[in-house]
Amino acid sequence: MTTAELVPWLTHKAIEAKADRMRETAGCSSAPIDPMHIAKSLGIGVYNADFTNDSISGMLRRSGGETQILVNEVHAIERIRYTVAHELGHFDLHSGMTDSFVDTDLDFYRREADSDDPVKKRVEVQANMFAAALLMPRQLVIDAYNVSPHCALLAEMFFVSKSAMTFRVANLGLGQ
């Protein structure tokens, strides 16, 4: 089986559903969603790491039946939370691909048109979509946006960066 065959084409709706299931299974139903609690409920340890390269945001590592998420300890807490959610996306969506994923700053800002490697592009875009859906559930964001359509306030409510919330609001078609 080729690497490309290990990375299925998933719709936004399918990724949202997978994130919803993971969140619901962990008992996280209100904002802010705690990705560290979700990881723990899955038996995944989350650890701070002192990476030699500050552009590394985090990694998912599987070894000897154990799964760990390592996050860059110098990043802001909102970024760390998003990194954990992103790595949980790799865990859920890309389990058969590799034993580890190392994610850099570029991977978190990747769009579908940004890479020469179509498999890497698909993997990172899917993990980003999963992270957004996990931390900023569709209906919770829509309900909150209808009360107060200000991304800065929504970002505080969901404990994510303003840029993450701005992208999520736009991707949900709000504020158009």
Side-chain angles (χ1 to χ4, degrees), residues 86-103:
H86 179 96
E87 302 307 335
L88 288 170
H90 285 313
F91 174 80
D92 189 270
L93 304 173
H94 311 124
S95 62
M97 282 189 63
T98 182
D99 289 336
S100 65
F101 291 90
V102 177
D103 292 300

Side-chain angles (χ1 to χ4, degrees), residues 13 15 20 39 45 58 68 77 79 94-95 102 121-122 134 136 150 153 157-158 166 171:
K13 187 175 182 178
I15 292 171
D20 288 347
Q68 299 174 334
I77 186 63
R79 179 62 176 272
H94 311 124
S95 62
V102 177
K121 174 176 64 177
R122 189 180 328 161
L134 190 73
M136 299 168 277
H150 303 284
L153 293 174
M157 177 187 298
F158 287 84
T166 301
N171 288 332

Side-chain angles (χ1 to χ4, degrees), residues 19-20 22-24 26-39 81-82 84-85 88 130-138 140-141 156-160:
D20 288 347
M22 182 181 282
R23 196 177 44 258
E24 289 165 7
C28 295
S29 59
S30 60
I33 303 301
D34 184 352
M36 285 71 155
H37 170 78
I38 294 171
R81 289 168 39 79
Y82 194 90
V84 172
L88 288 170
F130 186 94
L134 190 73
L135 293 176
M136 299 168 277
R138 171 184 290 278
L140 289 180
V141 172
E156 286 180 27
M157 177 187 298
F158 287 84
F159 203 16
V160 296

Side-chain angles (χ1 to χ4, degrees), residues 26-110:
C28 295
S29 59
S30 60
I33 303 301
D34 184 352
M36 285 71 155
H37 170 78
I38 294 171
K40 184 178 180 181
S41 76
L42 294 167
I44 300 171
V46 178
Y47 304 97
N48 287 329
D50 182 11
F51 294 113
T52 57
N53 181 343
D54 279 345
S55 73
I56 296 175
S57 299
M59 69 181 294
L60 176 74
R61 180 172 59 193
R62 296 181 184 99
S63 177
E66 184 180 347
T67 303
Q68 299 174 334
I69 294 173
L70 305 175
V71 294
N72 193 326
E73 66 187 6
V74 302
H75 287 176
I77 186 63
E78 294 87 353
R79 179 62 176 272
I80 289 171
R81 289 168 39 79
Y82 194 90
T83 298
V84 172
H86 179 96
E87 302 307 335
L88 288 170
H90 285 313
F91 174 80
D92 189 270
L93 304 173
H94 311 124
S95 62
M97 282 189 63
T98 182
D99 289 336
S100 65
F101 291 90
V102 177
D103 292 300
T104 65
D105 291 342
L106 176 63
D107 296 321
F108 288 90
Y109 297 104
R110 189 174 303 279

Side-chain angles (χ1 to χ4, degrees), residues 7-19 21 92-94 112 122 125-130 133 138 168:
V7 185
W9 287 102
L10 296 172
T11 64
H12 287 261
K13 187 175 182 178
I15 292 171
E16 293 265 350
K18 285 178 164 283
R21 274 192 299 280
D92 189 270
L93 304 173
H94 311 124
E112 294 190 39
R122 189 180 328 161
V125 168
Q126 288 177 353
N128 281 334
M129 290 166 58
F130 186 94
R138 171 184 290 278
R168 183 66 169 154

